[in-house]
Amino acid sequence: MEEYSNYDLIVRLKILILKYGVKFIPTDLFNHFENIIQYKIKKRVVKPTKFEYQVYDKSTDETVIPSEIIMKENNKRSIVKLRYSETSPIEIKVDTNQKIYLEINGNKQDVNINLVKNNFILKEPVPREISSKNATIGDYIDIIGADRVSILFFEGCYNWISGKACKFCDLHPKEKDEYYKPTLNNLKDYNFDVKKWWNASKDEYLRALTYSLKKVIENSNLDHIHILFMAGNLESNTYIWDIAEETIRYISKEIDLKKFDNYLNIAPHDSLERLNKIKKLGINQVQYNLEVVDEENFTETCPGKMSYNQFLNKLDEAVEIFGRGKVRSNFVLGLDDFKTTLSFAKKISEKGIIFDYSIFQPKKCTPYYNKKTPDFDKVLDFTNELSKLYVQYNFKPIYCSLSSRSSLINEIYWQYLKNKGDE
């Protein structure tokens, strides 16, 4: 803790949790936590397995852990995504009153720890006249962190089913066929004809999705929301944009998307005309995730994505339509040399593209599981420099400190502004 002493306590704790992960003793501690079903949880171990153009989770481990926790110190709060690691010096414990606390090397930390509750609205049933399935709003809408409303156009990623997944990605597939959204696990049933596959389920899906989003906006009790539209890849980015445009057009007839902080996070556009259409429908930011800075490393790490130079050109084109500070790209921080990464961040910032990041964490059952988490001194140095770029170009961090779970930019950016104002 001492080496990060110039940061607020919750920032220091978030750094260490992202760096080391957390452990629980016993490992099934949260399987027995009172009313655990009310909170955001995930399986401790997932095993995404590809078989005949389908991907399912084949893990038999039923141990669950919290997906994330909110840390509070005085009037400051921050959310962090949890990763289980049996070798971590950080342990989350539960006392006899079911109060959660955190220890580092046996030392209890003076910070308030809370699990993140599932928003009550997600359990509300979708009327049968809207969806013929026995579905809830949470089957169509996700709330990530405390206030990021996530809309997934379809389940799965073509790069996974075709054997070209990004090598850090664990996908989080379903255990079996319990799908309410369109799923790429069914694509082979339509002889890989994307249009037939989409048309077979889109009518009911779009009705249920729009109904669910309206309910979340009206009844979620959130102070504010960020709306994220997203999807994995398809064989062609034109297919993805056909689906994205149709979905957003349908929703925009009933919801004024311009009122919300919203993002479209998918593969780069297929045409400038398409970008203009999506902007007119109310999308105010687009995000194309290059993931890796170095071209050779990109080709090795993300074999299913379009070519490196084509990707960069698409980012430049997006700035022409959406404007500076309205185009973002996320990177897995730690997969590239930090000096190269900072130089690249400066280069794209000058062009009006915002550099976002998630800190690399090794995930089981991925090709990069044996890679180490990055040097966090370098992560912090980089984040401080990135904060300066944000201020220089009038950029803002994505989402907020209660929504951005795997990055430190929100916390360090605001602390940088505070320190700058105190000078």
Side-chain angles (χ1 to χ4, degrees), residues 16-77:
L16 294 175
I17 290 170
L18 291 173
K19 181 176 183 177
Y20 294 110
V22 295
K23 67 182 178 185
F24 315 101
I25 300 174
T27 55
D28 65 348
L29 174 67
F30 282 97
N31 286 65
H32 309 291
F33 187 82
E34 185 177 352
N35 297 321
I36 189 61
I37 198 67
Q38 296 180 5
Y39 300 93
K40 292 187 179 181
I41 56 175
K42 61 185 177 182
K43 291 178 67 174
R44 183 175 67 92
V45 178
V46 294
K47 188 179 180 181
T49 304
K50 172 183 171 292
F51 178 74
E52 292 185 350
Y53 299 99
Q54 295 181 321
V55 181
Y56 292 102
D57 175 20
K58 295 298 184 181
S59 171
T60 58
D61 189 322
E62 296 300 323
T63 310
V64 299
I65 67 171
S67 300
E68 54 216 12
I69 56 173
I70 292 178
M71 300 179 291
K72 182 178 180 182
E73 181 198 20
N74 299 323
N75 63 340
K76 295 178 181 177
R77 294 188 298 167

Side-chain angles (χ1 to χ4, degrees), residues 295-355:
E295 182 175 2
E296 185 177 341
N297 194 10
F298 169 83
T299 304
E300 170 67 23
T301 302
C302 301
K305 294 200 176 192
M306 66 175 57
S307 73
Y308 181 84
N309 289 323
Q310 186 181 10
F311 208 114
L312 290 179
N313 288 337
K314 295 288 186 180
L315 285 166
D316 291 340
E317 288 180 352
V319 175
E320 294 176 18
I321 305 300
F322 276 82
R324 299 175 62 84
K326 298 293 184 180
V327 178
R328 317 185 78 98
S329 189
N330 195 75
F331 295 83
V332 184
L333 195 63
L335 292 184
D336 293 287
D337 172 79
F338 275 88
K339 287 185 178 179
T340 303
T341 303
L342 181 57
S343 176
F344 184 89
K346 290 177 179 178
K347 179 180 177 181
I348 67 170
S349 295
E350 289 173 0
K351 295 181 175 184
I353 301 163
I354 302 178
F355 185 109

Side-chain angles (χ1 to χ4, degrees), residues 225-255:
I225 62 174
H226 317 276
I227 300 179
L228 173 65
F229 295 95
M230 62 186 300
N233 282 325
L234 288 172
E235 187 177 11
S236 161
N237 62 333
T238 295
Y239 293 151
I240 301 173
W241 279 79
D242 283 343
I243 290 170
E245 182 185 340
E246 185 170 6
T247 303
I248 293 168
R249 187 179 299 280
Y250 191 103
I251 290 172
S252 67
K253 291 176 182 177
E254 298 194 41
I255 300 169

Side-chain angles (χ1 to χ4, degrees), residues 131-146:
S131 171
S132 63
K133 303 167 183 175
N134 187 24
T136 65
I137 286 173
D139 291 319
Y140 295 101
I141 299 287
D142 296 306
I143 297 179
I144 300 173

Side-chain angles (χ1 to χ4, degrees), residues 280-293:
K280 288 177 182 177
L281 290 174
I283 296 299
N284 56 45
Q285 296 191 57
V286 292
Q287 181 174 339
Y288 306 154
N289 296 335
L290 187 60
E291 313 286 14
V292 178
V293 165

